[in-house]
């Protein structure tokens, strides 16, 4: 099995617990500790809410990349952002590479994903050609070859305003000790108190290293968080976090995404959450097919481009568990994607998640529904196994509440799951929202 790529060092640990907040109560000092904790929480909660940076819609993110980074990002023939000048050759022959070299292409590094059975060579387009023109040239030189753009994928949700501290500790959900979930996103803020009982194993795969983000931290809390009245779908689970964004405008590229997925495969992480959306891509499809064939469950957000938009990926690939979102009244989000690929609905609005600091944010989008489904599935699938993965999805379907037309439908899929995981923002201090969903 191939060694993990060397883009970054894996780090692990448990989230930092707020100072002065003990892991266990009891003993002679219990009353004093409780009073001190209560005073600290009350003081923090009395502070004004803090504005979180806006997370734009997927289309806005793509347009901003194309506008602000023309030297690094350009559009593909359909207007989707790609890394300028890069073509990914999937399993090319030596003859094909020789033809490309003679045609003026620079042959870059070769990446072998032993865990996925894939080998990819990065080619750089000759000067004077757009990346789309370069791809056409390669297809003409090698009609049987597989060549793909290095697409850049976007986030699928928005966070709102943050309270400055979580509510007092109240037991709510049974821990999911032993559950393991992969998270392909940015890095997760370790200081978020909801994650104090979760094990975080993080690795950077994007250019420039790691960068903690509000989106990734919120998603992580909805999987493995627990604090006060808040609990994710699998509290205390181990999270393998593949940071495919980092600080670079080329973050979110399919090359980084697939490196992260290969790392998950090498570590035999059974359930992998992908709250990113974008166009179809041959390399991403091959990686997803390899994972599902090996018994991993890939859970993905259907996206927020609206009910009439074309399907987004990876959610629309066969074998992926595609998740849409509902609000606090169990109504599908009007911006959520629809289609025959939708498998489940889960809470995706009118709910709180962990923020970058000590408090909570209000979130909206299918980005935040997918991790709830992933956490529930991780409780049912301890290790990758094709038959066990199918049983886990069937078991989750048996728990689903049928909404809309009787039976499976393109809006809710097989029905609503884990509505009890939704935490009312007012109960943890995230009382207002400044951002619309994407």
């Amino acid at each position: 099995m191939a060694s993990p790529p060397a883009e970054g060092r894996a780090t692990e640990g448990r989230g930092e617990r707020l100072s002065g907040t003990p892991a266990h109560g009891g003993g002679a000092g219990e009353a004093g500790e409780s009073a001190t904790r209560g005073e600290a929480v009350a003081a923090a909660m009395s502070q004004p809410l803090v504005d979180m940076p806006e997370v734009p819609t997927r289309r806005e993110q793509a347009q901003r990349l194309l506008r602000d980074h023309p030297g690094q990002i350009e559009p593909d023939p359909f207007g989707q952002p790609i890394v300028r000048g890069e073509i990914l050759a999937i399993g090319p022959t030596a003859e094909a590479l020789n033809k490309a070299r003679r045609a003026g292409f620079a042959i870059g590094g070769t990446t072998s994903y032993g865990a996925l059975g894939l080998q990819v060579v990065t080619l750089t387009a000759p000067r004077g050609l757009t990346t789309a023109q370069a791809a056409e040239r390669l297809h003409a030189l090698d009609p049987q070859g597989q060549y793909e753009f290095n697409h850049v994928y976007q986030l699928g949700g928005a966070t709102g305003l943050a309270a400055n501290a979580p509510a007092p500790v109240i037991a709510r959900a049974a821990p999911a000790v032993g559950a393991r979930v992969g998270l392909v996103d940015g890095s997760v803020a370790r200081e978020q108190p909801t994650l104090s009982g979760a094990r975080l194993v993080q690795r950077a795969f994007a250019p420039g290293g790691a960068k903690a983000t509000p989106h990734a931290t919120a998603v992580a809390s909805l999987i493995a968080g627990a604090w006060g009245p808040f609990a994710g779908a699998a509290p205390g689970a181990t999270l393998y976090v593949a940071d495919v964004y980092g600080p670079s405008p080329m973050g979110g590229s399919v090359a980084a995404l697939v490196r992260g997925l290969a790392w998950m495969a090498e570590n035999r992480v059974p359930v992998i959450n992908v709250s990113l959306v974008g166009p179809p891509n041959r390399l991403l499809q091959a990686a997803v097919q390899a994972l599902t064939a090996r018994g991993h469950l890939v859970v993905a957000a259907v996206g927020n481009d609206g009910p009439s938009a074309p399907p987004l990926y990876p959610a629309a690939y066969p074998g992926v568990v595609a998740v849409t979102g509902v609000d606090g009244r169990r109504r599908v989000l009007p911006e959520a994607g629809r289609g025959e690929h939708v498998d489940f609905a889960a809470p995706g609005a009118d709910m709180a998640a962990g923020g970058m600091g000590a408090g909570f944010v209000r979130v909206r989008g299918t980005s935040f529904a997918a991790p709830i489904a992933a956490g529930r599935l991780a409780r049912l699938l301890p290790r990758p196994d094709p038959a066990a993965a199918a049983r886990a999805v069937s078991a989750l379907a048996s728990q689903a509440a049928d909404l809309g037309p009787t039976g499976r439908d393109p809006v809710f899929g097989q029905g609503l799951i884990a509505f009890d995981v939704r935490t009312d923002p007012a109960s943890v201090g995230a009382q207002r929202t400044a951002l619309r969903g994407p």
Side-chain angles (χ1 to χ4, degrees):
M1 188 172 291
S3 299
E7 281 75 10
R9 182 184 302 274
T11 60
E12 63 179 277
R14 293 189 180 273
E16 296 293 333
R17 191 174 289 274
L18 283 180
S19 113
T21 304
H24 302 283
E30 180 180 8
E33 290 171 348
S34 297
T36 301
R37 182 167 66 249
E39 291 169 1
V41 169
M45 285 292 195
S46 67
Q47 298 177 21
L49 298 179
V50 179
D51 282 327
M52 297 294 288
E54 181 170 352
V55 178
T57 70
R58 186 189 76 89
R59 290 191 183 95
E60 289 169 343
Q61 291 175 61
Q63 291 168 357
R64 185 176 298 177
L65 277 172
L66 292 167
R67 183 193 67 215
D68 294 348
H69 303 282
Q72 297 162 295
I73 306 294
E74 68 177 285
D76 74 2
F78 300 97
Q80 303 293 337
I82 58 176
V83 176
R84 179 175 289 279
E86 285 191 2
I87 302 290
L88 304 176
I90 306 169
T93 64
E95 180 183 1
L97 293 178
N98 285 333
K99 286 182 179 180
R101 186 181 289 109
R102 289 194 296 268
F105 287 84
I107 310 301
T110 299
T111 305
S112 295
Y113 305 106
L116 299 178
L118 297 171
Q119 185 178 69
V120 177
V121 178
T122 301
L123 308 179
T124 301
R127 284 190 175 186
L129 294 183
T130 67
T131 311
Q133 291 169 339
E136 290 179 0
R137 178 79 58 86
L138 286 169
H139 285 297
L141 291 169
D142 180 24
Q144 304 305 315
Q146 292 193 72
Y147 300 96
E148 186 54 277
F149 298 118
N150 195 2
H151 282 110
V152 177
Y153 285 69
Q154 282 77 52
L155 305 174
T159 56
L161 295 181
N164 291 315
V169 178
I170 303 169
R172 170 174 159 172
V177 177
R180 298 190 305 146
V181 187
L183 176 57
V184 180
D185 210 297
S187 287
V188 172
R190 292 184 178 277
E191 63 271 19
Q192 170 49 233
T194 65
L195 298 170
S196 60
R199 179 179 174 231
L200 298 178
V201 184
Q202 307 205 79
R203 183 166 182 159
F205 293 92
K211 181 181 179 180
T213 67
H215 187 273
T217 302
V219 169
S221 73
L222 291 167
I223 297 172
W227 191 278
F230 177 89
T238 294
L239 290 179
Y240 287 79
V241 182
D243 184 343
V244 300
Y245 279 103
S248 168
M250 294 181 289
S253 72
V254 73
L257 203 165
V258 172
R259 284 194 289 269
L261 292 175
W263 178 60
M264 304 285 183
E266 288 161 3
N267 285 279
R268 292 184 55 77
V269 180
V271 179
I272 303 167
N273 183 81
V274 185
S275 286
L276 315 178
V277 290
N281 182 283
R282 293 178 184 87
L283 178 56
L284 178 58
Q285 182 176 13
V288 167
Q289 286 176 341
L291 284 165
T292 54
R294 288 161 172 77
H296 299 263
L297 284 175
V298 177
V299 182
V302 299
N304 309 291
D305 279 8
S308 61
L312 294 173
Y313 297 84
Y317 284 128
V320 173
V321 179
V323 185
T324 189
V326 301
D327 64 16
R329 297 175 65 182
R330 306 190 182 205
R331 301 173 300 188
V332 70
L333 302 184
E335 67 269 32
R338 302 185 185 186
E340 298 302 323
H341 62 292
V342 177
D343 289 298
F344 295 105
D350 301 328
M351 68 179 186
M356 287 288 285
F360 293 89
V361 291
R362 180 185 284 250
V363 295
R364 181 186 182 93
T366 60
S367 263
F368 308 109
I372 292 175
R376 281 290 167 89
L377 286 166
R379 289 178 173 270
L380 302 168
L381 185 66
R383 64 190 62 83
D385 176 86
R391 289 194 297 269
V393 174
S394 294
L396 190 62
S398 71
Q399 303 169 15
D402 193 8
L403 301 179
T406 302
R408 182 166 186 155
D409 65 73
V411 177
F412 300 100
Q414 298 182 76
L416 174 64
I417 55 98
F419 192 73
D420 59 302
V421 173
R422 187 187 73 89
T423 299
D424 188 327
S427 71
V428 291
Q431 296 177 352
R432 300 199 304 271
T433 181
L435 306 179
R436 55 183 172 78

